Every structure is written in C-alpha cells, then in structure tokens.
Amino acid sequence: MSELNTQKFCPEELATAFSLNGKYQSCYTIEHGHINDTFVLEFENERAEKEFFLIQVINVNVFKNPDELMSNIIGVTDFLRKKIADANGDTNRETLTVYPSKDGKPYYLDSTGRYWRCYNFITDAYTCDTMDSPEVFYNAGKAFGKFQMLLDDYPIETLFDTIPNFHNTVSRFAAFKKAVEDNLSGRLDSAREEVDFVLAREKDAGILLDLLGKGELPLRVTHNDTKLNNVMFDSKTHEGICVVDLDTVMPGLSLYDFGDSIRFGASTASEDEKNLSAVEMSLELYESYVKGYLFYAGKSLTENEIKYLPFSSKLMTYECGMRFLTDYLNGDTYFKTEYPEHNLVRCRTQFKLVADMEKKMSEMERITTEAYESIR
Ligand code: GN1
Ligand code: MG
C-alpha cells in the first residue's frame, strides 16, 4: 500500500463511472505486478458497511486491444462463477467479477484516453512476493491446479490471443537476439555474461513448441502468468482462494503455468534480489507445489505433461530472464522498473535459478514421478 498519487487520476470520477453500490469514501493504491496500475476504492453501503472495489488502468502498451482483453476475462470469470456456484462455493471470494461502467461497457474510458476496469476486491486475504512456507505454497499449487481443472471444458476457440506468441520461447529468443544486435540502450557491454548465458541454451527454446507442433502436448486454457502473487490466500485458513491477474488467460500449455509458478514461488529470494548467493530453487518448495498442483490437475494431465514438469520450470525461468534482459537492452520499455539496472538485476536472479535447476534436475524428476505415482 502506498500514498495515492492523485495527479494520476480523479478517484471521484471513477467512483461514479461504474455501477457500484453505496457512497464513495476513499481511495488508495496497491503495488501489484510489473504491468498495470492498481487502486482500491472504499465505499459505504446503505447498511453503513464498508465495500471495496479494485480499479486498474489497462496497460495498452502491453495489451493492445482492451475489448478482446475484457472479452476473455468476462468469459472466463462468468464460466468460473457458474462452476463455483454449482459447487456451493463463495462467488464473491473465489473468482473475480467485472463491474461494467455506467454505459454498459467492460471498462471506463476517461477523458485522457485511459481504459479503467473495475473488479470486486477480495478482503481478508493476502498475496505473497516470496514464499518460505511449504504448506502455503502447496495451497498455491492447489489453487492454480483447480483453476486449470475448472477451465478444462472452456470453449478455447472463443479466446483471443491477448499477447500473440506470449510464451513462444523461440520468438522470445529471436527478439532477444535482435535486442543484442540493436543495442538500443548502449548497455550491451554491461551484460555480456548474461547474453552468453542465454545464447548457450538456445536449443532449449524450441523443445515444448516442437512437442506441441507434433501433437504430443495438448493446447489448453491456461493462465500464463502464474506468479505466486497472482493467487490470493485466505487470511485465516491460508487456502489459495482466488486466482487473479487474468489478462493473459489464453490458449497455452499447462507446462507454462506450472513452470512459471516454480520460477517465482520456489525461489528462496525475490525476483530482484541483488545478492545472488541468496537465490536458489528450493527442492522442498518444488515438492510442495507439485503435490498441490497435481491434487486437482493431476488426473487430467497427459504422460508428456507430467514428464516435462521439471523441464518447464527451467524453461519458463530461462524465458523470463531472457525477457528481462531483452528489456534492459532495449532501454526498459516494457516492465516497470525502479532504477536503471533493475531489469539486469532481475535477469541475473532468473539465470542463477536456471543454473541451480540444471544441477537439481534429476532430483526434481524424482520428486515429480513420486508425487504423480501417489495420486494415481
Ligand atoms: C509480468 O503483471 P505481472 O507482474 O504479474 C509479466 C509476466 C512476467 C512477470 C515477471 C503481461 O507479470 O509475463 O512473468 O511480470 N506479465 C506480462 O515478474 O508481461
Ligand atoms: Mg500481469
């Protein structure tokens, strides 16, 4: 939570732009993710109770088509809400709900051309940027596994590609090579070691895409940004109650979701830790997540999906590090950064994790096989 920068927008204007219950009271900002700006609006309803709503500016630099983006999110959240209701779940806490603007649109376009959207804000819940509890990380695995299971029969052909080739590691590699050649920021010399690290692993980039192309991995509805801080945990039970940040829900591989969760959540340090000796991939956390993930998703995964779970962790970490490095070389035009070396620092943590996973790969494979055997 931080001080509200009211120059950025007028909260009163937004409070009246959406069809929300009650009287607007106040607004604060929350730090969430590297892409969108996020705020919370506090309202008071007729019974003098507080109600909270989350509002976000859609980053149109990243998501070029807000209509398609919101169509995906509304489609998926409506679908989830129905399944949650059928299972007698709490539809206010277990899924996001999009509140339309007063003119019936899925967003509000303000006078400066910014697109705003409004969601329910889930209270009595928390998110984590790092994880040291295997029990809570097990719950994160359950939440993302359940998310995937619930969307198993979602009509995949109705989804738009909100960011084409988002996890196409081959095209990410090509974009990286171009960034090296262009050296737009003039920073190449400060990142030679990291550039060589990426180049040495080029052959990994196409492995999952080749399997997909040969029909040996299925295309599914996936989240595509399964960072630990995109799941909300109940403050009392610590269960993962709601998966958030649905901007990148698209057709994809289950392995993207699994691997990205390990990349972020099984690390012993934060994504921008400068002290690399603190950065490792914890096998204990890996094991908790695999078990939690397979709890719901295990039964529907194919043999190849299981087989590539450990490799996907390495691949997604490699891809993310490569994206940070690409952005560093391009002059920080994509990810939000707090200081000039931020993307370089981030890519170093990712490559430290990749190297650590390479050392631990046979252990990760053993843990995965054992976890899978236990649910069959
Ligand atoms: C971004 O929005 P956020 O912070 O959850 C990015 C992910 C990266 C992640 C790295 C749309 O996620 O792909 O893995 O940063 N999202 C987009 O922390 O590019
Ligand atoms: Mg995001």
Side-chain angles (χ1 to χ4, degrees), residues 20-205:
L20 305 175
N21 244 351
K23 202 162 166 284
Y24 168 71
Q25 304 289 313
S26 64
C27 179
Y28 60 89
T29 173
I30 50 174
E31 303 303 330
H32 189 84
H34 301 334
I35 305 292
N36 298 311
D37 289 331
T38 307
F39 308 90
V40 176
L41 296 179
E42 182 191 327
F43 274 62
E44 194 177 273
N45 68 20
E46 313 75 54
R47 296 182 298 282
E49 295 156 348
K50 287 182 174 181
E51 281 196 34
F52 298 90
F53 301 93
L54 189 130
I55 52 167
Q56 255 177 350
V57 192
I58 299 175
N59 184 333
V60 288
N61 182 32
V62 172
F63 299 101
K64 313 267 183 222
N65 190 325
D67 287 288
E68 292 186 356
L69 174 73
M70 294 311 291
S71 157
N72 280 4
I73 295 177
I74 291 171
V76 163
T77 51
D78 285 352
F79 190 87
L80 290 173
R81 195 170 313 101
K82 190 164 179 316
K83 288 211 173 172
I84 292 163
D86 289 347
N88 290 322
D90 182 344
T91 52
N92 286 324
R93 285 176 71 69
E94 294 174 35
T95 177
L96 293 178
T97 295
V98 174
Y99 288 86
S101 69
K102 279 200 175 135
D103 52 4
K105 293 232 163 63
Y107 48 70
Y108 168 68
L109 184 58
D110 77 9
S111 53
T112 66
R114 283 174 302 181
Y115 291 84
W116 295 86
R117 64 176 163 206
C118 180
Y119 289 125
N120 52 327
F121 178 67
I122 299 164
T123 52
D124 304 315
Y126 64 93
T127 56
C128 304
D129 278 316
T130 53
M131 178 56 67
D132 50 21
S133 159
E135 293 78 25
V136 180
F137 199 39
Y138 172 83
N139 289 341
K142 267 173 83 182
F144 281 120
K146 187 174 180 186
F147 182 83
Q148 194 186 290
M149 182 197 76
L150 291 175
L151 293 175
D152 216 29
D153 53 344
Y154 189 83
I156 194 165
E157 68 288 351
T158 62
L159 286 171
F160 295 100
D161 267 332
T162 49
I163 303 180
N165 291 321
F166 189 57
H167 284 309
N168 184 324
T169 316
V170 172
S171 58
R172 293 285 184 193
F173 187 87
F176 158 75
K177 277 187 71 180
K178 180 159 187 336
V180 173
E181 276 155 30
D182 295 349
N183 189 16
L184 292 175
S185 62
R187 290 163 160 175
L188 183 58
D189 280 342
S190 59
R192 290 277 177 204
E193 220 181 292
E194 290 72 24
V195 167
D196 289 344
F197 188 95
V198 175
L199 293 175
R201 286 160 183 78
E202 179 179 3
K203 66 169 183 11
D204 285 340

Side-chain angles (χ1 to χ4, degrees), residues 33-36 63 225 230 245 247-248:
H34 301 334
I35 305 292
N36 298 311
F63 299 101
D225 186 10
N230 283 333
D245 196 358
D247 292 335
T248 48

Side-chain angles (χ1 to χ4, degrees), residues 277-338:
S277 59
V279 183
E280 264 188 58
M281 200 276 314
S282 154
L283 283 170
E284 192 189 12
L285 289 172
Y286 179 84
E287 179 168 2
S288 321
Y289 193 88
V290 180
K291 288 181 174 162
Y293 178 71
L294 293 180
F295 182 88
Y296 284 115
K299 294 241 159 33
S300 60
L301 295 181
T302 66
E303 243 172 68
N304 258 351
E305 286 178 298
I306 300 290
K307 178 174 164 198
Y308 283 92
L309 290 173
F311 172 75
S312 74
S313 312
K314 175 186 150 179
L315 183 72
M316 297 308 290
T317 312
Y318 170 66
E319 182 194 274
C320 190
M322 180 158 69
R323 290 175 61 198
F324 288 141
L325 183 53
T326 303
D327 200 32
Y328 176 73
L329 296 171
N330 284 340
D332 306 325
T333 58
Y334 187 88
F335 295 105
K336 288 193 224 165
T337 49
E338 282 155 26

